[in-house]
Amino acid sequence: GSKDGPTSKNVGCALEGLLIGLSRVAQQAEDELGVGAELDTLVAHSVKVNVFHSIDFLLKFSEPLRELVKSGSLEIQGGIYHL
């Protein structure tokens, strides 16, 4: 596998890959905010980091999506909402 993250050869399914990526998301959020960050702040930032991670994941593992984005036919946007 790759040091950068999951690849199509070592990930059994998309969900598994996303779950593996969550630990990296949490680590990235902590690295960006610092070890002493408040829990609520860390959680909120982790959600934001995860949105971008999910977009990157989709583009990495879906050639049809990559091609549509590349051609300008599709724009992928992330969002955060509160229920």
Side-chain angles (χ1 to χ4, degrees), residues 59 62-76:
L59 292 172
S62 176
E63 184 160 346
L65 288 179
R66 280 195 308 276
E67 292 302 318
L68 288 169
V69 169
K70 188 187 230 181
S71 73
S73 299
L74 176 69
E75 182 178 304
I76 297 177

PDB file of all heavy atoms in Angstrom, residues 59 62-76:
ATOM      1  N   LEU A  59     -12.360  11.738  -5.512  1.00  0.00           N
ATOM      2  CA  LEU A  59     -11.573  11.999  -6.722  1.00  0.00           C
ATOM      3  C   LEU A  59     -10.483  10.959  -6.922  1.00  0.00           C
ATOM      4  O   LEU A  59     -10.180  10.575  -8.053  1.00  0.00           O
ATOM      5  CB  LEU A  59     -10.978  13.399  -6.664  1.00  0.00           C
ATOM      6  CG  LEU A  59     -12.007  14.530  -6.763  1.00  0.00           C
ATOM      7  CD1 LEU A  59     -11.352  15.870  -6.502  1.00  0.00           C
ATOM      8  CD2 LEU A  59     -12.712  14.509  -8.106  1.00  0.00           C
ATOM      9  N   SER A  62     -12.475   7.489  -8.023  1.00  0.00           N
ATOM     10  CA  SER A  62     -13.487   7.454  -9.084  1.00  0.00           C
ATOM     11  C   SER A  62     -12.976   8.171 -10.323  1.00  0.00           C
ATOM     12  O   SER A  62     -13.017   9.393 -10.409  1.00  0.00           O
ATOM     13  CB  SER A  62     -14.790   8.095  -8.610  1.00  0.00           C
ATOM     14  OG  SER A  62     -15.715   8.129  -9.684  1.00  0.00           O
ATOM     15  N   GLU A  63     -12.519   7.380 -11.273  1.00  0.00           N
ATOM     16  CA  GLU A  63     -12.056   7.980 -12.525  1.00  0.00           C
ATOM     17  C   GLU A  63     -13.176   8.727 -13.247  1.00  0.00           C
ATOM     18  O   GLU A  63     -12.927   9.820 -13.774  1.00  0.00           O
ATOM     19  CB  GLU A  63     -11.434   6.934 -13.445  1.00  0.00           C
ATOM     20  CG  GLU A  63     -10.881   7.588 -14.684  1.00  0.00           C
ATOM     21  CD  GLU A  63      -9.854   6.756 -15.402  1.00  0.00           C
ATOM     22  OE1 GLU A  63      -9.350   5.771 -14.835  1.00  0.00           O
ATOM     23  OE2 GLU A  63      -9.565   7.107 -16.538  1.00  0.00           O
ATOM     24  N   PRO A  64     -14.414   8.198 -13.280  1.00  0.00           N
ATOM     25  CA  PRO A  64     -15.480   8.968 -13.939  1.00  0.00           C
ATOM     26  C   PRO A  64     -15.681  10.353 -13.314  1.00  0.00           C
ATOM     27  O   PRO A  64     -15.848  11.340 -14.027  1.00  0.00           O
ATOM     28  CB  PRO A  64     -16.730   8.095 -13.755  1.00  0.00           C
ATOM     29  CG  PRO A  64     -16.198   6.704 -13.617  1.00  0.00           C
ATOM     30  CD  PRO A  64     -14.892   6.863 -12.871  1.00  0.00           C
ATOM     31  N   LEU A  65     -15.638  10.440 -11.983  1.00  0.00           N
ATOM     32  CA  LEU A  65     -15.766  11.747 -11.335  1.00  0.00           C
ATOM     33  C   LEU A  65     -14.588  12.648 -11.681  1.00  0.00           C
ATOM     34  O   LEU A  65     -14.763  13.838 -11.966  1.00  0.00           O
ATOM     35  CB  LEU A  65     -15.882  11.602  -9.815  1.00  0.00           C
ATOM     36  CG  LEU A  65     -17.196  11.048  -9.284  1.00  0.00           C
ATOM     37  CD1 LEU A  65     -17.158  10.949  -7.763  1.00  0.00           C
ATOM     38  CD2 LEU A  65     -18.366  11.903  -9.734  1.00  0.00           C
ATOM     39  N   ARG A  66     -13.373  12.079 -11.633  1.00  0.00           N
ATOM     40  CA  ARG A  66     -12.172  12.866 -11.990  1.00  0.00           C
ATOM     41  C   ARG A  66     -12.304  13.447 -13.383  1.00  0.00           C
ATOM     42  O   ARG A  66     -11.984  14.619 -13.611  1.00  0.00           O
ATOM     43  CB  ARG A  66     -10.916  12.002 -11.917  1.00  0.00           C
ATOM     44  CG  ARG A  66     -10.367  11.803 -10.547  1.00  0.00           C
ATOM     45  CD  ARG A  66      -8.947  11.257 -10.576  1.00  0.00           C
ATOM     46  NE  ARG A  66      -8.746  10.074 -11.392  1.00  0.00           N
ATOM     47  CZ  ARG A  66      -8.979   8.828 -11.002  1.00  0.00           C
ATOM     48  NH1 ARG A  66      -9.420   8.592  -9.778  1.00  0.00           N
ATOM     49  NH2 ARG A  66      -8.757   7.805 -11.805  1.00  0.00           N
ATOM     50  N   GLU A  67     -12.760  12.636 -14.324  1.00  0.00           N
ATOM     51  CA  GLU A  67     -12.886  13.095 -15.713  1.00  0.00           C
ATOM     52  C   GLU A  67     -13.930  14.202 -15.836  1.00  0.00           C
ATOM     53  O   GLU A  67     -13.731  15.169 -16.573  1.00  0.00           O
ATOM     54  CB  GLU A  67     -13.217  11.919 -16.637  1.00  0.00           C
ATOM     55  CG  GLU A  67     -12.079  10.925 -16.786  1.00  0.00           C
ATOM     56  CD  GLU A  67     -10.805  11.563 -17.321  1.00  0.00           C
ATOM     57  OE1 GLU A  67     -10.881  12.386 -18.255  1.00  0.00           O
ATOM     58  OE2 GLU A  67      -9.714  11.235 -16.792  1.00  0.00           O
ATOM     59  N   LEU A  68     -15.057  14.046 -15.141  1.00  0.00           N
ATOM     60  CA  LEU A  68     -16.094  15.080 -15.184  1.00  0.00           C
ATOM     61  C   LEU A  68     -15.598  16.390 -14.579  1.00  0.00           C
ATOM     62  O   LEU A  68     -15.873  17.473 -15.111  1.00  0.00           O
ATOM     63  CB  LEU A  68     -17.353  14.603 -14.461  1.00  0.00           C
ATOM     64  CG  LEU A  68     -18.156  13.522 -15.180  1.00  0.00           C
ATOM     65  CD1 LEU A  68     -19.216  12.943 -14.254  1.00  0.00           C
ATOM     66  CD2 LEU A  68     -18.785  14.079 -16.450  1.00  0.00           C
ATOM     67  N   VAL A  69     -14.877  16.301 -13.478  1.00  0.00           N
ATOM     68  CA  VAL A  69     -14.315  17.503 -12.851  1.00  0.00           C
ATOM     69  C   VAL A  69     -13.288  18.138 -13.783  1.00  0.00           C
ATOM     70  O   VAL A  69     -13.290  19.355 -14.000  1.00  0.00           O
ATOM     71  CB  VAL A  69     -13.700  17.174 -11.469  1.00  0.00           C
ATOM     72  CG1 VAL A  69     -12.885  18.343 -10.936  1.00  0.00           C
ATOM     73  CG2 VAL A  69     -14.799  16.794 -10.478  1.00  0.00           C
ATOM     74  N   LYS A  70     -12.431  17.304 -14.341  1.00  0.00           N
ATOM     75  CA  LYS A  70     -11.374  17.780 -15.244  1.00  0.00           C
ATOM     76  C   LYS A  70     -11.969  18.506 -16.451  1.00  0.00           C
ATOM     77  O   LYS A  70     -11.444  19.531 -16.890  1.00  0.00           O
ATOM     78  CB  LYS A  70     -10.530  16.597 -15.701  1.00  0.00           C
ATOM     79  CG  LYS A  70      -9.307  16.955 -16.485  1.00  0.00           C
ATOM     80  CD  LYS A  70      -8.679  15.670 -17.009  1.00  0.00           C
ATOM     81  CE  LYS A  70      -7.226  15.580 -16.709  1.00  0.00           C
ATOM     82  NZ  LYS A  70      -6.608  14.349 -17.243  1.00  0.00           N
ATOM     83  N   SER A  71     -13.080  17.992 -16.986  1.00  0.00           N
ATOM     84  CA  SER A  71     -13.700  18.591 -18.166  1.00  0.00           C
ATOM     85  C   SER A  71     -14.522  19.834 -17.834  1.00  0.00           C
ATOM     86  O   SER A  71     -14.965  20.539 -18.731  1.00  0.00           O
ATOM     87  CB  SER A  71     -14.599  17.572 -18.860  1.00  0.00           C
ATOM     88  OG  SER A  71     -15.787  17.361 -18.114  1.00  0.00           O
ATOM     89  N   GLY A  72     -14.755  20.067 -16.551  1.00  0.00           N
ATOM     90  CA  GLY A  72     -15.570  21.213 -16.149  1.00  0.00           C
ATOM     91  C   GLY A  72     -17.057  20.918 -16.115  1.00  0.00           C
ATOM     92  O   GLY A  72     -17.866  21.800 -15.848  1.00  0.00           O
ATOM     93  N   SER A  73     -17.442  19.664 -16.371  1.00  0.00           N
ATOM     94  CA  SER A  73     -18.854  19.279 -16.360  1.00  0.00           C
ATOM     95  C   SER A  73     -19.408  19.090 -14.953  1.00  0.00           C
ATOM     96  O   SER A  73     -20.620  19.072 -14.756  1.00  0.00           O
ATOM     97  CB  SER A  73     -19.056  17.971 -17.133  1.00  0.00           C
ATOM     98  OG  SER A  73     -18.663  18.133 -18.469  1.00  0.00           O
ATOM     99  N   LEU A  74     -18.517  18.923 -13.988  1.00  0.00           N
ATOM    100  CA  LEU A  74     -18.931  18.671 -12.614  1.00  0.00           C
ATOM    101  C   LEU A  74     -18.057  19.460 -11.663  1.00  0.00           C
ATOM    102  O   LEU A  74     -16.836  19.546 -11.842  1.00  0.00           O
ATOM    103  CB  LEU A  74     -18.796  17.173 -12.286  1.00  0.00           C
ATOM    104  CG  LEU A  74     -19.100  16.759 -10.853  1.00  0.00           C
ATOM    105  CD1 LEU A  74     -20.589  16.903 -10.550  1.00  0.00           C
ATOM    106  CD2 LEU A  74     -18.644  15.320 -10.622  1.00  0.00           C
ATOM    107  N   GLU A  75     -18.682  20.039 -10.672  1.00  0.00           N
ATOM    108  CA  GLU A  75     -17.960  20.712  -9.586  1.00  0.00           C
ATOM    109  C   GLU A  75     -18.385  20.047  -8.289  1.00  0.00           C
ATOM    110  O   GLU A  75     -19.585  19.967  -7.986  1.00  0.00           O
ATOM    111  CB  GLU A  75     -18.327  22.196  -9.556  1.00  0.00           C
ATOM    112  CG  GLU A  75     -17.591  22.963  -8.494  1.00  0.00           C
ATOM    113  CD  GLU A  75     -17.939  24.436  -8.529  1.00  0.00           C
ATOM    114  OE1 GLU A  75     -17.780  25.076  -9.596  1.00  0.00           O
ATOM    115  OE2 GLU A  75     -18.383  24.946  -7.486  1.00  0.00           O
ATOM    116  N   ILE A  76     -17.440  19.554  -7.549  1.00  0.00           N
ATOM    117  CA  ILE A  76     -17.753  18.899  -6.277  1.00  0.00           C
ATOM    118  C   ILE A  76     -17.591  19.930  -5.167  1.00  0.00           C
ATOM    119  O   ILE A  76     -16.557  20.589  -5.063  1.00  0.00           O
ATOM    120  CB  ILE A  76     -16.825  17.705  -6.014  1.00  0.00           C
ATOM    121  CG1 ILE A  76     -17.022  16.639  -7.102  1.00  0.00           C
ATOM    122  CG2 ILE A  76     -17.080  17.111  -4.615  1.00  0.00           C
ATOM    123  CD1 ILE A  76     -16.103  15.446  -6.977  1.00  0.00           C
TER     124      ILE A  76
END
